[in-house]
Amino acid sequence: MNLSQTTVFALVGGEEPFLRLAHDFYERVDKDPALRPMFPGDLTGPEERLALFLIQYFGGPATYSEHRG
């Protein structure tokens, strides 16, 4: 494996760690009385968008750009 060509996405094992990271982040936001009012009532969309953004940013599929431009 040539590490200079390997993405963070591949090194961490694909989508799952990013999905978990986004989920854990929004789970904490939901429980934080100072942050919670700054976010929409339903956190499903923001959680999905964050995960897709991180996946693409770190070398995974470009699904975020395909959906969000």
Side-chain angles (χ1 to χ4, degrees), residues 16-56:
E16 184 56 35
F18 297 103
L19 296 172
R20 195 170 52 247
L21 179 64
H23 176 76
D24 289 350
F25 173 78
Y26 279 105
E27 192 171 67
R28 288 182 173 106
V29 164
D30 194 38
K31 294 176 182 172
D32 189 298
L35 290 176
R36 189 60 183 100
M38 295 182 214
F39 290 84
D42 182 3
L43 296 174
T44 306
E47 180 180 323
E48 179 182 7
R49 288 187 294 276
L50 175 60
L52 292 176
F53 173 80
L54 292 172
I55 287 167
Q56 179 175 324

